[in-house]
Amino acid sequence: ENTIILTDEEGKEHEFLVVDILSVDEDEYAVLLPVGEESEPDEAIVLKIDVDEEGNEVLREIEDEEEWERVVQAWEERLENLEE
């Protein structure tokens, strides 16, 4: 499985399954689903794949509302294509 571990602001680690990688307007976004007993299937999160000043890939929250809307639209289109 393609899983990653992310650490929250409090230092607690969380495991996520990488469901998909979306390319939108030359940027990439990871669609992640929490792994664990208390996780709900509708709790998927989307984070932007970015590069820090040292050249390492990092995941960042999407803060711009327009950018978020573009990513959600791309994800919905991807799901529709998979259903067909």
Side-chain angles (χ1 to χ4, degrees), residues 19-82:
V19 177
D20 203 353
I21 303 293
L22 299 173
S23 293
V24 180
D25 298 334
E26 299 182 22
D27 290 316
E28 289 192 323
Y29 301 86
V31 180
L32 309 173
L33 188 63
V35 175
E37 297 173 15
E38 67 279 351
S39 298
E40 296 293 327
D42 61 348
E43 291 181 1
I45 62 170
V46 180
L47 298 174
K48 183 176 186 174
I49 301 172
D50 207 352
V51 178
D52 67 11
E53 53 277 344
E54 296 157 7
N56 301 312
E57 279 191 347
V58 293
L59 297 173
R60 302 189 192 279
E61 290 186 37
I62 302 169
E63 297 179 5
D64 181 73
E65 187 68 30
E66 290 180 21
E67 179 181 12
W68 174 252
E69 292 298 326
R70 288 191 306 270
V71 173
V72 168
Q73 181 178 359
W75 175 240
E76 289 173 350
E77 289 173 5
R78 175 80 57 106
L79 290 177
E80 287 175 13
N81 290 339
L82 290 175

